[in-house]
């Protein structure tokens, strides 16, 4: 995937390619209105914005996890995990909670898709092995709580390794934070460039973490 490891389900790819048929929305709904905006207009409405870590983010995740457990087929759900920068207490982050939902081998993408849409999410992008959703993007900008949900098949969970490495290696986390703050100033209204320019560092530490934490999550 090129491990655009975290924060990679973003609005610019989603709302543009979001179809009425895919999400069952009316033209005058929020999703329908957003789909009419140009990419530049979307970036202006949903800019990159970083803030100091807030303890409430973990609470947001826990509450959203409970809501998801009410709609997901839990017998085919391997894990629901808090990933991304909001899960790393020591660094600045976009105030968007990233959630990894990993299916068991028996899980089906379409079954999970239907359940996640019931929880108020919008499907942003998909392929044979992954789907990305978001929640909290409105016609007036970001809602108070915003979530990105990453649906994955069993074993596709590199974000867990990156998260743990950042949590356990403050120097690496500081390096990552400094890069994010620099890129924020450069690419406030260009999410593609912001994400792409983080990828080399994210890939490097993800690879190191997979070696250092070999077996921590794989083979469970």
């Amino acid at each position: 995937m090129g491990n655009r490891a975290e924060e990679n389900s973003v609005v610019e790819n989603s709302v543009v390619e979001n179809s009425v048929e895919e999400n069952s929305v009316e033209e005058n709904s929020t999703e329908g209105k957003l789909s009419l905006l140009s990419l530049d207009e979307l970036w202006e409405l949903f800019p990159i914005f970083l803030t100091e870590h807030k303890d409430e983010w973990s609470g947001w995740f826990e509450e959203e996890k409970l809501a998801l457990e009410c709609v997901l087929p839990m017998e085919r759900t391997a894990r629901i995990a808090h990933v991304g920068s909001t899960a790393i207490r020591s660094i600045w982050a976009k105030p968007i909670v990233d959630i990894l939902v990993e299916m068991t081998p028996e899980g089906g993408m379409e079954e999970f898709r239907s359940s996640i849409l019931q929880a108020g999410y919008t499907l942003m992008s998909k392929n044979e092995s992954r789907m990305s959703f978001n929640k909290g993007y409105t016609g007036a900008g970001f809602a108070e709580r915003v979530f990105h949900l990453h649906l994955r098949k069993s074993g596709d969970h590199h974000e867990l390794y990156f998260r743990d490495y950042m949590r356990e290696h403050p120097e690496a986390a500081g390096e990552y934070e400094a890069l994010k703050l620099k890129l924020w100033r450069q690419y406030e209204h260009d999410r593609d460039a912001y994400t792409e320019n983080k990828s080399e560092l994210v890939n490097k530490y993800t690879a190191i973490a997979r070696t250092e934490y070999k077996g921590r999550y794989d083979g469970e």
Side-chain angles (χ1 to χ4, degrees):
M1 79 177 264
N3 270 4
R4 297 172 61 153
E6 41 124 22
E7 305 171 331
N8 64 347
S9 71
V10 290
V11 70
E12 67 273 11
N13 292 326
S14 63
V15 180
V16 170
E17 62 185 51
N18 236 5
S19 68
V20 172
E21 179 182 2
E22 187 69 59
N23 292 284
S24 301
V25 296
E26 299 296 332
E27 186 173 334
N28 63 350
S29 69
T30 297
E31 291 87 348
K33 291 177 181 178
L34 292 178
S35 70
L36 300 177
L37 299 180
S38 69
L39 195 56
D40 287 341
E41 289 172 326
L42 287 169
W43 278 335
E44 189 68 30
L45 187 60
F46 303 111
I48 299 295
F49 175 73
L50 303 184
T51 183
E52 290 181 295
H53 181 86
K54 298 184 184 301
D55 291 339
E56 64 189 15
W57 290 336
S58 61
W60 292 6
F61 165 72
E62 292 297 337
E63 290 179 23
E64 193 67 14
K65 179 182 178 183
L66 287 175
L68 288 167
E69 288 174 343
C70 292
V71 298
L72 292 176
M74 293 305 297
E75 67 278 9
R76 292 181 290 284
T77 301
R79 80 177 86 244
I80 303 173
H82 186 187
V83 296
S85 291
T86 59
I88 305 167
R89 296 181 61 86
S90 61
I91 68 172
W92 282 51
K94 298 200 306 292
I96 297 173
V97 172
D98 284 273
I99 299 174
L100 172 68
V101 174
E102 187 178 348
M103 303 182 298
T104 68
E106 296 76 29
M109 297 293 288
E110 289 303 317
E111 176 187 26
F112 274 76
R113 170 186 174 276
S114 297
S115 297
I116 293 167
L117 292 178
Q118 288 179 33
Y121 284 82
T122 298
L123 176 66
M124 309 312 285
S125 63
K126 67 175 183 176
N127 59 33
E128 291 183 357
S129 59
R130 293 180 170 186
M131 289 186 182
S132 295
F133 303 80
N134 72 26
K135 185 177 183 180
Y137 287 79
T138 79
F142 292 117
E144 180 181 358
R145 297 187 182 189
V146 183
F147 301 93
H148 287 169
L149 189 152
H150 315 276
L151 178 62
R152 303 286 178 75
K153 291 186 175 181
S154 178
D156 186 356
H157 46 226
H158 64 269
E159 291 94 340
L160 297 172
Y161 287 93
F162 182 79
R163 178 201 67 188
D164 289 1
Y165 196 87
M166 293 294 105
R167 284 175 170 177
E168 297 171 27
H169 295 80
E171 289 186 5
E175 180 185 356
Y176 182 50
E177 178 184 52
L179 176 62
K180 284 158 60 74
L181 291 169
K182 175 185 175 182
L183 294 175
W184 173 27
R185 291 188 287 270
Q186 288 181 265
Y187 302 116
E188 180 181 3
H189 298 290
D190 188 344
R191 284 175 176 259
D192 279 341
Y194 175 81
T195 302
E196 184 62 35
N197 280 277
K198 292 189 303 171
S199 62
E200 182 177 356
L201 183 147
V202 170
N203 292 343
K204 178 181 78 170
Y205 284 118
T206 299
I208 293 172
R210 280 195 171 275
T211 298
E212 183 169 325
Y213 305 143
K214 186 175 181 180
R216 177 173 287 191
Y217 297 107
D218 297 312
E220 295 179 359

